[in-house]
Amino acid sequence: MRQGDPEKDRLAGMQPTGSDTSHFTLLLAAPSAVAHLAAPILADHLGITTGAALQRLTESPGPIARRLAPQPAQLLYSLLSALGLNLLLQRDDDRSPLFDLSIQPSIWVDPGRLSRRLARVLGLAAETIEVAIARPGGLMLTALPLAEAHALERRLAAIRGLIVLRFEREGAFYDLFPTRVLLSPERDALALALQAEDARPDPLTGACAAGLNEAACTRVLAAVPAAGLLALDRSIQRFDLHLVGVHGWVTGDLADFLATRTSLPRARFEVISQDDPITLDRGLTHAVLRQFCADYAAIGLQTRPCLRGLTRFPDNPTL
């Protein structure tokens, strides 16, 4: 009698549930420092180049392989998980709601220390986490079933200085932010895509497209796939607000208000400019940002929001 292969037997007992006609999607749930090791394996199983596989493993969390049959899906999941990748395996006909978690640092926390604590909980390299939490929206763990999202929230609740935000993909409203100055053909393609979705930029926040649902967001991104646009649900956006000008003179009362607001000396407000702004507030939500901008404008202050984690660039990126 032929002896069985223990590894094949082990994998056979771990097959995804579902009929023989089921298909599965493999999702990358979080960035990984071992993407370069996993790329050849992914490329071999999908019949793509190593470069294309590496791109899938280093882009934003999301699908890296679609429409996999049950056995290849589990085999690929097992091999990549063994390397340390944080993966999810989802059956394509499973319509249960999925949630994303945004993990962000509080404005006062030390990012390095926080990342080391997160590394012990998430099983990721602290260096990878520190880079991710500094990005707009923070470290994203995507496409989680509700039970898994709740379990992660409970594990993260004990970490001080951590903001964990959960939102359901189906009901999300996305804004698209440019990460560089768009080229003229990209601006034209984006304008056509926004016109088709009856969507517009947001001059206040700097979003080049505002208020898109998930389907519309996907279509707009597909119209400008190489433009580097960043899609963020409004519930996880956080802004810093800068003072860049004042209508008229800075009166004594206004200087006192600003000094109290910022803990800066009154003399600092003698010269205010676009090139040398003063930070008024940090970590504002989308709704609070709009209210604060209106309130400041009412007393003659000119403000400029900046999405946290997004490096500013000189030209106006909106259309």
Side-chain angles (χ1 to χ4, degrees), residues 13-150:
M14 297 173 59
Q15 294 302 320
T17 57
S19 66
D20 291 340
T21 59
S22 295
H23 288 90
F24 293 81
T25 295
L26 188 61
L27 302 113
L28 182 67
S32 173
V34 296
H36 62 291
L37 298 178
I41 298 174
L42 182 64
D44 183 59
H45 280 72
L46 301 184
I48 60 178
T49 66
T50 301
L54 184 60
Q55 184 175 4
R56 296 189 188 190
L57 292 167
T58 52
E59 290 180 341
S60 299
I64 58 173
R66 299 179 184 272
R67 294 196 58 77
L68 298 172
Q71 187 169 353
Q74 184 60 64
L75 177 60
L76 188 56
Y77 175 86
S78 300
L79 292 173
L80 296 182
S81 295
L83 290 175
L85 267 68
N86 190 348
L87 301 171
L88 294 171
L89 194 57
Q90 177 189 341
R91 200 170 71 189
D92 290 348
D93 58 0
D94 184 358
R95 300 304 179 195
S96 57
L98 296 175
F99 297 83
D100 288 356
L101 289 184
S102 166
I103 300 174
Q104 304 184 33
S106 298
I107 59 174
W108 53 265
V109 77
D110 174 70
R113 185 175 181 182
L114 178 64
S115 298
R116 290 190 291 274
R117 293 200 64 187
L118 275 171
R120 293 193 288 269
V121 175
L122 299 177
L124 298 171
E127 295 80 5
T128 299
I129 293 175
E130 187 168 359
V131 170
I133 63 174
R135 296 171 182 156
L139 171 62
M140 295 296 300
L141 305 179
T142 66
L144 303 173
L146 183 58
E148 187 167 349
H150 278 321

Side-chain angles (χ1 to χ4, degrees), residues 31 87 93 138 184 228 235 301:
L87 301 171
D93 58 0
S184 180
S235 67
L301 301 182

Side-chain angles (χ1 to χ4, degrees), residues 241 261 281 284 287-298 303:
L241 188 58
R261 187 77 179 173
D281 301 282
L284 300 180
V288 171
L289 172 73
R290 291 190 175 279
Q291 184 62 56
F292 276 28
C293 286
D295 291 344
Y296 285 134
T303 55

